[in-house]
Amino acid sequence: MPTPTEIRLNRAERVLHVAFDSGERFALPAEYLRVESPSAEVQGHGPGQRVIVPARRHVGIMKVEPVGHYAVRLVFDDLHDTGIYSWDYLFELGRDQAERWAAYEQALAAKGLSRDPPRRGG
């Protein structure tokens, strides 16, 4: 699998830009990275345990922390910080973004959930 040559966070746009030594470049929205987190909280501990994470349209990334020479840990502003994004996983997320995003939106719809946070009464 390719190795990143650049990882750059654009906080204002809430996008993580990743360039790989194979020439591919991906712009990965924070919301997409959050709902596809490799953490057990999202992926579960076994087959069929994946959790659909709703209401993250406005999530941002506060920090990108290196983990050895193989991954980064993303700290989101909803305080989720347990996912370790390996180079392979980041590449897969970029390569498969359209399919994964479509599947996520279908799963939300099937469960009657939304990307938007609940409105507060006022």
Side-chain angles (χ1 to χ4, degrees):
M1 279 285 194
T3 302
T5 56
E6 179 183 11
I7 297 176
R8 186 173 35 86
L9 176 60
N10 182 322
R11 279 194 175 90
E13 293 179 5
R14 295 192 295 264
V15 173
L16 187 69
H17 296 273
V18 185
F20 288 89
D21 59 5
S22 57
E24 287 93 349
R25 302 178 79 79
F26 303 112
L28 304 171
E31 180 186 10
Y32 173 60
L33 291 165
R34 174 63 178 89
V35 302
E36 292 289 337
S37 172
S39 69
E41 176 188 326
V42 174
Q43 299 299 328
H45 293 281
Q49 293 184 345
R50 181 169 166 74
V51 174
I52 303 303
V53 181
R56 293 300 182 267
R57 182 186 299 268
H58 305 295
V59 75
I61 298 170
M62 296 190 309
K63 287 192 232 175
V64 179
E65 301 174 339
V67 177
H69 295 288
Y70 68 93
V72 290
R73 181 172 75 105
L74 302 180
V75 179
F76 294 90
D77 61 11
D78 68 354
L79 304 183
H80 178 74
D81 66 355
T82 58
I84 304 296
Y85 294 76
S86 70
W87 303 152
D88 290 352
Y89 190 58
L90 280 174
F91 185 82
E92 288 172 22
L93 287 174
R95 180 192 64 204
D96 303 337
Q97 186 171 357
E99 295 83 9
R100 285 176 179 259
W101 189 252
Y104 169 68
E105 288 186 315
Q106 289 171 357
L108 281 177
K111 293 183 177 278
L113 299 171
S114 172
R115 292 175 52 208
D116 294 308
R119 291 180 183 246
R120 294 186 178 170

